[in-house]
Each structure stands twice: as C-alpha cells, then as structure tokens.
Amino acid sequence: MKTHEQALFEDAPVWRAVTSLVVPTVISQVISVIYNMADTFFIGQIGDRNQVAAASLCLPMFIFMTGVANLFGIGGASLIARSLGVGDRDKARRTGAFSIWTAIGVAFVYGIVILLVRPVLLPAVGADEETYEFCNQYLIWTVCIGAVPSVLNQVLAHLVRSEGHSAQASFGLALGGVLNIILDPIFIFPMGLEIAGAAMATMISNAIASIYFIILILRKGEESDICLDPRYYSVKQGIPREVVLVGLPSSLMNMMAVLSNITLNKLMSSYTNAAVAGLGVAKKVDMIAFAVATGMSQGVLPLIAYNYAAGNYRRMKRVIRFDFILSFSIAVAEAVLLFTCAAPIVRAFIDDAETIRYGQLFQRIICLTAPFISITMLSITCFQSVGKKLEPSILSLLRKGGLDIPFMFIMDAMFGIEGIVWATPIADLVATTVAVILFVPYWRHLTARMRETEALQATEGA
C-alpha cells in the first residue's frame, strides 16, 4: 500500500501535487523574509539611520549562512528524493545524517571565524565610525552565536520537504519568523536593547525553530528517512560528492550574493548613509519577490527529482510546465505592485525624507528583476532535481557575482549612484537569457526520453 507521500508524488493531479508542495513553501519563504524585514522595520522605528544602515551592512554575513544551508539542504534533499524514487531508504537516511552533521560543523566554524575577524571585516564591508559598533552588536548575536541554529533550521526544512512533508517544513520556518516578529519589538523597545535586541530575537527564533524540527523528526521515528543519529553519518556511496555538487549552485548564488552585497554597500557608502539605508530597505522589500520565486522552485524539487528517478518523464514535464506558468504570472504581478507602491512601502520602514527618496527609487529599479528571477530559479532547480551540476552552477554565477559586480563598477563610473542599482536587473536579464538557452535543449531531451520509455512500456505490455 502506498504512503500518502508516494500517492502525492506518483498519482495526485499535477496541479494538486504542485500546489500542496509549493504553497506552504512559498508562505514559509515569505514569512522568513518578513521576519528579516521585521529587523529593518523595527530598527527603523528607532529613527536612527545609522542602525538601519548597520543592519544592511551585516546582511552579507547573514546571507552566507543561507548559502551553507542551501549547500547541504538542497543537495541533501535532491539526493534523498532520488533515493526514495528508486526505493533506497538506507541511502536516504545516510544522506540525511551527512547533510545535518556536516552543516552543523561548518556553521560552528563560520561563527568562530566571524567572531575573530570582526575588527578587519566590518570596515571592509563599509562600516564607519557611526555604524561600526551597531554592526558589531548585530553580528555577535545573529552570526557568532546564532550561526548553528540559523543554518540547522533551514537544512532540516529542506530535508523534511524532500519526503513530501512541505506543510510541516513550512510551519517550522514560519514558526521562527513569527517568533522573531513578536520578540523584535519587545527586545528593542521595552528592554531598550535597540539593534542588539533585534539580533537576539533572530537568534532565539532560529533556535526554537531548530528544536521544533528535531522534535518532529524524532516523533516520526522509523517513518522518517531523515536520520539525526550520527552513527549513520557516511562518506560512502558518493554521498558527499553528490550532496555538495548538487547543492553548490544554490550555495554559490548565496555566497556570490555576499560579495555582491558587500560591493553594493561599499560603492553606495561612498555617497551617503541615507543611500545605504534606502538601499537596505529596497533590498529587503525585493526579497519578497525572491522568496516567492525560491518557494515556487524549491517546493517542487522533490516532486521533480522523485519522478525523474522513477522514470515518469511525462509527469515530470507536466510539473515543470505548471509551476513555470504559475511562478511567472505571480512574479509579473509582484513587479507591478512593488513599482507602483514604492513610496508608501519605503515610508512604512523609516520616516526620513532623504532615505525615502533613495529607497523608492532603488525599489522601482530592483523590482524589475522579479519575472527574470522566476525563470532562472526554476531552471536551476530543474537541473538540481536531476543531479546536474554544470548548468545550475553557470546560472548561479551569472545571477550573482559573475555579471552584477563588474556591471556595478561600470555603471557607477558612467551613471553614478543610480547606475549602481541598475546593475542588478541587467545581470538578471542576461542570466535568464542563458537559462532559456540551456533549458530548451534539455526539455527536448526529456521529451525524447519520455517517448522512448513509453514506447518500450507499450511494447512490453503487448
């Protein structure tokens, strides 16, 4: 008898299978962004642009942790789903143990490194005399102390989703987000901790979300193929190579986003802290569009991977087609909304005329990337789902770091402060073009394999 998850992956109508996986994932991604935005929002209510700028300057170090989580979470989820597609539960469990414990180790080391290099790192990313101490307070709690829970809760969410438990995974991420939104104003205002309070709220929320996932997995016991037992940790069967190489493109995109944000903040800080603060608000708002695109793609990863491993190429293609239409339509609507409502959205974060002027200008430029991101992210996920390494790596590098950083310097020299921000949509447009060029031949390849498989099945049936 099939489990609920097997029935979802194999038999449920495509629209139902996709939406049941995607909707909770998108909701959790958006809530995660909202709780990141909550820091900026509540810090902005203090009325100190330097603290808002400090939160923006620390964003790259926080993004790096998401890169670590994606490396082991997405890579592990893809391999677990493919292993389950061919009925290999033992490999799925060993993959889970490898992903979890390696991620914990890397996160712990990262937190220690950031603790030691802060005096050199913070000036390098754009902190000055007015923002240095605020940056220092924020990093201590969110990264130096909070690295392990921040990475762990994201990794566990990816792995839980690989078994088809999208709602439970999304609830865990949402739990952390909601807690952060509740704790932020308490720590910032009544307790008078300001930016340090926002950082503490983030760390505590991530820790509680991690505890939720651990309890969830332990309660499922043998029903779950995600193993917390370190005795299952294995470097055999090609597990480390497969996890790392498949997860690398998403991780690489986050890592390069760190360099991209550092470069962006560094160039912007040469103008004014109001511009840095305005850019920080605009980028936080734009993260909603990125979160939706990420949720739409990551939500279907286990569904695509499972059907690919099972040889059900027709269902796999239907899933990709339906998800693309849905994702692209939503992205266009988001771009229109963020463009037309830029001024009131930015004003909601901070009541500073100069920051609002910069923020709404930057938001209207950055929001144009939403439709491009939806296409590129789904292409990357499709390639990751089937275990491909080169194509998603190329697209990830083009999206972040490979093009936008050079464009920032060129556009800054040619057009000044506004030109720096235009580098992002230009880079995304190029990345989307390359995504289409790479994906169309693979789509044709899938069609050919589908026809061969169905012809063989028809012959055997006769």
Side-chain angles (χ1 to χ4, degrees), residues 238-457:
I239 290 174
R241 179 180 182 276
E242 192 68 17
V243 168
V244 171
L245 291 182
V246 171
L248 185 60
S250 293
S251 177
L252 194 61
M253 186 157 52
N254 285 103
M255 304 302 184
M256 294 306 292
V258 172
L259 294 179
S260 177
N261 275 279
I262 289 174
T263 304
L264 188 60
N265 287 331
K266 193 71 174 176
L267 290 173
M268 198 64 66
S269 63
S270 65
Y271 289 92
T272 167
N273 277 341
V276 176
L279 179 64
V281 173
K283 288 188 74 65
K284 284 290 179 76
V285 172
D286 181 66
M287 285 172 68
I288 293 178
F290 182 75
V292 173
T294 301
M296 293 295 296
S297 59
Q298 290 183 1
V300 295
L301 185 149
L303 184 59
I304 296 171
Y306 186 98
N307 282 282
Y308 173 78
N312 193 345
Y313 304 115
R314 181 174 293 276
R315 183 172 177 81
M316 176 185 171
K317 288 185 62 179
R318 287 175 176 170
V319 167
I320 295 171
R321 185 185 296 111
F322 180 83
D323 193 67
F324 167 75
I325 294 171
L326 187 61
S327 178
F328 185 76
S329 300
I330 293 173
V332 172
E334 288 171 335
V336 172
L337 176 65
L338 294 178
F339 188 92
T340 55
C341 300
I345 290 173
V346 174
R347 192 176 295 112
F349 283 85
I350 186 169
D351 187 18
D352 179 82
E354 189 178 5
T355 302
I356 293 171
R357 181 171 64 86
Y358 280 118
Q360 66 179 349
L361 171 64
F362 297 157
Q363 182 178 308
R364 284 177 175 149
I365 296 172
I366 295 174
C367 75
L368 300 176
T369 64
F372 305 142
I373 292 173
S374 68
I375 297 172
T376 307
M377 290 300 296
L378 182 57
S379 299
I380 291 173
T381 295
C382 288
F383 287 128
Q384 288 177 313
S385 299
V386 301
K388 287 188 174 291
K389 288 86 176 176
L390 180 60
E391 292 88 341
S393 297
I394 291 172
L395 295 177
S396 297
L397 280 173
L398 288 177
R399 249 217 91 232
K400 280 298 174 186
L403 292 176
D404 62 339
I405 291 177
F407 284 156
M408 284 178 203
F409 288 101
I410 295 170
M411 299 292 283
D412 181 29
M414 294 177 63
F415 303 106
I417 192 169
E418 187 173 337
I420 299 172
V421 185
W422 270 106
T424 298
I426 292 172
D428 272 312
L429 174 60
V430 175
T432 300
T433 303
V434 175
V436 172
I437 292 171
L438 291 175
F439 189 75
V440 168
Y442 183 70
W443 184 262
R444 291 172 179 164
H445 169 71
L446 278 178
T447 302
R449 290 193 67 173
M450 178 189 73
R451 289 171 179 166
E452 290 172 5
T453 302
E454 291 179 350
L456 181 61
Q457 290 172 346

Side-chain angles (χ1 to χ4, degrees), residues 45-115:
Q45 304 314 299
I46 300 171
D48 185 351
R49 70 174 64 166
N50 291 321
Q51 294 194 50
V52 176
S56 177
L57 291 171
C58 291
L59 183 61
M61 281 69 80
F62 202 82
I63 292 174
F64 186 92
M65 295 190 295
T66 301
V68 173
N70 285 345
L71 178 65
F72 299 105
I74 292 178
S78 174
L79 185 54
I80 288 173
R82 281 180 282 137
S83 298
L84 294 177
V86 295
D88 192 347
R89 295 189 66 189
D90 181 70
K91 187 173 182 178
R93 290 176 177 176
R94 295 188 183 279
T95 299
F98 171 82
S99 300
I100 292 167
W101 289 103
T102 307
I104 289 174
V106 172
F108 179 78
V109 171
Y110 176 66
I112 297 298
V113 170
I114 293 298
L115 180 65

Side-chain angles (χ1 to χ4, degrees), residues 116-130:
L116 297 176
V117 303
R118 281 172 302 137
V120 177
L121 177 65
L122 291 178
V125 299
D128 57 20
E129 292 182 357
E130 295 178 313

